Amino acid sequence: MTIQQLEFYQSCAIFLNFRRAAQYHFVSESTLSRQIAALELELNVTLFHRDTKGVRLTEAGALLFRRSVEILNQISEYRRTLCSEGLLRPEPNPYFRITCHISDNIFPHLVELLELLPADWLGKQYKIDLVREGTAPDAVLRGAAQLGIDLAANLQSFGGAFRRRLFLRMPLKVLVAPDHPLAGHDCLTVGELLAEYHVWSDFLLPDVMKEYVEQRQVDGLEGLLSLRKILSKHLPYVECVRWARKPDHRLLLPHGELDIPEYGKLHAVELTGVPAAATDYMMFWKSGMDRDAELLRFCEMMDAAETYVKKRPSCCRYGR
């Protein structure tokens, strides 16, 4: 198993589209497919279901994705430690590095926007580092990345350490079965939701998440956002691209006999009364950097790309 194989696998698991993953890594689709096949052979498991409907992760694939994020982060941390202790000579960074937490749609959405920028604008190949929740600000402060993307709430404790700009507003939504009482609502307040559904086990969750949420209480908004964090860590490994077609946080799945492939049948109810900091993703970089003006211009170009993407038909997004 190689680091490159794990990086290829991460991208395939997020895009659920080998062609898109190959484009991201600047390799041919056949090259990427051979690396994934070699990884499956070495581990003696099937990581993807491939059929006429597309690519889906197997249960073994979902488990490997979670482990791959941990492994690649640990390797990066090890290299940084070697450099800081003078045991390894740091090499010039060949990439424009952007760091972000794994969320429902941030990775594919970010890649799509970057692909709309002029090919020679960055002057170097870009790379998106997937990090554990809450570690994106630290990575930018250490200089491991030039730019970070994270929830506004996660940046508050860093005060004026960063310059920031709104990247993506993603409202919280509850997903319910078509015959559920909430299916007749377009929006619902957080208070109304918690008054009726206050135990996490009242919700149907994919098997990969049940161990995390069984019989736990939701206490106010903090408990609700805590549940959202758990879901955002695991749902991408199951149906990332399908859930990423429209930017929002798909939050809860109330009881019903629904299999994972049937998620598309659920009705979305938007939650109101949620602080903006809990739903607004920011692009940020270290304050006072020499490249402040350049990074600000980069954000403006991303805004223009975002506007363009919103005007396109939804069927054209994320390689679908």
Side-chain angles (χ1 to χ4, degrees), residues 4-230:
Q4 185 182 62
Q5 285 177 333
L6 287 180
E7 291 180 336
F8 284 176
Y9 177 72
Q10 276 192 353
S11 300
C12 290
I14 292 175
F15 283 119
L16 293 181
N17 185 309
F18 278 35
R19 178 181 61 82
R20 294 278 290 153
Q23 289 174 342
Y24 172 65
H25 287 285
F26 296 92
V27 298
S28 67
E29 186 174 345
S30 60
T31 297
L32 183 138
S33 296
R34 284 196 300 271
Q35 291 295 321
I36 297 300
L39 185 59
E40 289 180 316
L41 182 63
E42 180 178 351
L43 296 176
N44 195 29
V45 295
T46 300
L47 300 174
F48 294 97
H49 290 302
R50 303 169 179 86
D51 53 37
T52 56
K53 296 181 180 179
V55 177
R56 294 178 291 114
L57 279 171
T58 63
E59 188 173 347
L63 178 60
L64 177 62
F65 189 99
R66 298 197 295 276
R67 295 292 182 264
S68 71
V69 172
E70 297 171 1
I71 291 169
L72 291 176
N73 272 288
Q74 289 169 357
I75 291 173
S76 296
E77 187 61 38
Y78 173 67
R79 286 174 172 169
R80 285 192 291 270
T81 301
L82 288 177
C83 291
S84 65
E85 296 186 5
L87 301 176
L88 180 68
R89 180 181 300 175
E91 298 179 356
N93 192 339
Y95 300 106
F96 178 82
R97 303 190 83 98
I98 304 172
T99 185
C100 66
H101 171 54
I102 311 154
S103 188
D104 311 48
N105 60 26
I106 290 295
F107 182 93
H109 187 69
L110 180 58
V111 170
E112 182 176 33
L113 294 184
L114 284 166
E115 288 177 346
L116 293 175
L117 301 188
D120 59 347
W121 187 82
L122 290 174
K124 58 174 68 175
Q125 182 179 339
Y126 69 85
K127 186 172 180 60
I128 302 173
D129 295 323
L130 303 179
V131 297
R132 297 186 302 274
E133 183 184 350
T135 59
D138 291 326
V140 174
L141 282 178
R142 288 197 310 266
Q146 288 96 329
L147 193 76
I149 296 177
D150 206 342
L151 284 171
N154 292 337
L155 299 180
Q156 290 176 345
S157 60
F158 290 87
F162 299 114
R163 290 197 64 181
R164 62 186 74 182
R165 188 182 182 101
L166 180 65
F167 170 64
L168 187 64
R169 178 165 285 120
M170 298 168 61
L172 292 180
K173 294 191 177 182
V174 178
L175 295 187
V176 300
D179 58 350
H180 191 279
L182 294 181
H185 297 269
D186 291 326
C187 62
L188 189 73
T189 68
V190 171
E192 290 170 337
L193 178 71
L194 293 178
E196 188 169 357
Y197 304 98
H198 59 281
V199 180
W200 289 10
S201 59
D202 284 345
F203 302 96
L204 173 71
L205 300 169
D207 289 339
V208 294
M209 287 181 260
K210 285 182 178 176
E211 61 182 285
Y212 293 92
V213 299
E214 195 75 28
Q215 299 295 333
R216 299 190 186 184
Q217 297 289 324
V218 172
D219 298 319
L221 179 61
E222 288 303 315
L224 192 63
L225 295 179
S226 177
L227 175 57
R228 194 281 306 278
K229 291 178 180 179
I230 291 175

Side-chain angles (χ1 to χ4, degrees), residues 283-302:
M283 286 190 284
F284 61 94
W285 59 96
K286 282 197 292 188
S287 296
M289 286 182 61
D290 294 338
R291 302 183 65 191
D292 266 7
E294 187 177 2
L295 286 167
L296 188 59
R297 179 168 165 257
F298 173 83
C299 293
E300 291 170 349
M301 295 180 70
M302 292 284 278

